[in-house]
Structures are given as structure tokens and as C-alpha cells.
Amino acid sequence: MIRLSPSILSADLYCLRDGIDRVRSCGVDMLHIDVMDGHFVPNITFGLPLVSSLRKHTDMELDVHLMISDPAKYAPLFVKAGADIVTIHAESQTETRETLSSIRREGGKPGITINPNTPLDTLFPYLEQVEQVLLMSVQAGFGGQSFISSSLHRLEELSLKLSVSRLDVPIEVDGGIGPQNAASVVEAGAEILVAGSSIFSANGGYIEGNIRALLDAVKQARSRKSREGP
Ligand code: DX5
Ligand code: ZN
């Protein structure tokens, strides 16, 4: 099953509740929350209070992407605040293994991610420890960037690595995803598609139409796959 994880970074924050209700009523059950500290990446976004508030009001799976310099300190706090999945960057100067364990100890699902310029094998030591692998298809830091096409090859390689290692860990892809490339990323192995601007701001913010366009593109990929056979 392919899932969408809409990134609220591109939502109209004045009308956040409305945006979330609209994605929910389209059947989407996951929400991507980009946490940036102005240090690991140049941008500053959301923090713990937003996650606690969302937890009080929605049953959606809260998919928190930490782009911060000190995930060891904050990752467990995001689980306590109500995050379901907490994904950390392997590039952050931290004790990655211990941080992933601390997410699990608090009752969360740990995830690991890397930026497009980081060698793919940086992820490999953590694959057995996580419940989700996020592959960035833009440099972390801002919404609305263009998809980096070499990400398709990286998705295929990661997908192969997981299958030869017999690990059933879903791959999430993040950055520049829209109806124009959704089929390709799914064919390359992605199962969870993060989409910010293509859901919340494209076509004048017509969220329902944007979600339909993304899901239609995914369906095409699947029917193409089934026609081609295994
Ligand atoms: C970028 C963030 C993304 C971003 C995606 O650092 O991790 O989640 O919101 O935005 P779009 O879909 O607009 O590229
Ligand atoms: Zn993200």
C-alpha cells in the first residue's frame, strides 16, 4: 500500500486545522512535521508544542522529521509529545544508535534519513534498528525545491539492499514529489510519499484535487508494474 504523508510546512498555518481536516477527509492517515532548528539547516520551523497540540486533536500518524543538531536530546521528547514516528539524520553529530533506541524506549517508531549528497551506505548500519527509512530527494531545509533526479537510482539501490537483507522496512521519499514523478518514485521502491507544496499550495491550494492527482499518478505506476509482471 502506498501512503501519502502531507508536509504541513507548506500548509497555510493560519488555517492549519482546516488543511489537516481536508487531507484527513481524503483518507490520508499520516502527517509529516518538519522540525528545523536554524543550526543543522538554515531554516527554523516547528517544535514540541505543535506536536502536543496536534496529538490532542488528531488520530493521524504523526511523522516527525528532525532536522536538528541535537537529536539525542530532543528525539525522545518528541515521542513524549505525541509523535508516532521520529526520523533523525545520520549526518547529525550524535550517537545515532543510542538515539534510535531512545525513540523506541519511549514507545515511538525510529526512522533514519540522509541528504542527497550523503553516501547511501551511511544508512546501512541502522537499517535493522528502524521502522522507516527516509530518503531525501532535495537538500533538507526548505519546501518547494525541485526533485533531484539521481534520487531514483538511490531509491532502487536502497530498495535492493533492504530486500537482500530481508528487511521489511518501508522507504519514505521527501522533497519535490508531485504527480509528475510520483509514479517513478513508487516504481523505484518508495512506499510513503511526503508531499508539501504539491498538496497544500499547488493549484491555488485545492487540496482534494491535488491529493487525487497524486493518487492517480501512483495508480498508473502500479498498473504499469502489473502489466509488465514481476
Ligand atoms: C524539506 C522537508 C520536506 C518539505 C517537502 O527539508 O523535509 O518535508 O516539506 O516539501 P515539498 O514537497 O514542497 O518539496
Ligand atoms: Zn521532511
Side-chain angles (χ1 to χ4, degrees), residues 48 66 68-80 86 99:
L48 293 160
L66 293 185
I68 62 176
S69 294
D70 195 356
K73 178 171 175 188
Y74 293 101
L77 300 181
F78 276 91
V79 181
K80 278 201 182 102
V86 177
T99 306

Side-chain angles (χ1 to χ4, degrees), residues 59-219:
D59 62 351
M60 294 173 86
E61 190 161 30
L62 300 180
D63 171 31
V64 172
H65 174 191
L66 293 185
M67 287 160 273
I68 62 176
S69 294
D70 195 356
K73 178 171 175 188
Y74 293 101
L77 300 181
F78 276 91
V79 181
K80 278 201 182 102
D84 296 292
I85 304 166
V86 177
T87 295
I88 62 171
H89 272 262
E91 299 95 346
S92 49
Q93 300 300 313
T94 190
E95 185 34 75
T96 302
R97 271 184 191 291
E98 172 46 30
T99 306
L100 293 170
S101 303
S102 73
I103 294 168
R104 201 180 283 282
R105 269 199 306 274
E106 286 299 331
K109 296 180 185 173
I112 189 78
T113 185
I114 50 168
N115 271 314
N117 295 331
T118 302
L120 195 67
D121 59 10
T122 310
L123 290 170
F124 295 175
Y126 310 109
L127 295 180
E128 291 190 8
Q129 230 191 317
V130 296
E131 304 238 356
Q132 177 172 291
V133 192
L134 169 59
L135 202 63
M136 291 305 298
S137 42
V138 299
Q139 178 69 22
F142 297 92
Q145 302 180 70
S146 300
F147 180 80
I148 297 173
S149 58
S150 54
S151 309
L152 286 177
H153 184 61
R154 282 160 67 86
L155 278 170
E156 283 166 356
E157 264 189 66
L158 178 57
S159 175
L160 183 66
K161 170 72 184 170
L162 288 168
S163 72
V164 299
S165 313
R166 296 181 190 280
L167 291 169
D168 189 17
V169 179
I171 303 176
E172 181 177 52
V173 62
D174 184 5
I177 305 296
Q180 73 289 353
N181 54 23
S184 317
V185 295
V186 167
E187 281 165 0
E191 285 180 57
I192 304 166
L193 313 186
V194 176
S197 38
S198 71
I199 288 181
F200 288 107
S201 43
N203 302 308
Y206 177 34
I207 293 174
E208 295 77 5
N210 292 339
I211 289 180
R212 203 174 317 124
L214 268 167
L215 294 176
D216 283 350
V218 167
K219 258 188 230 147

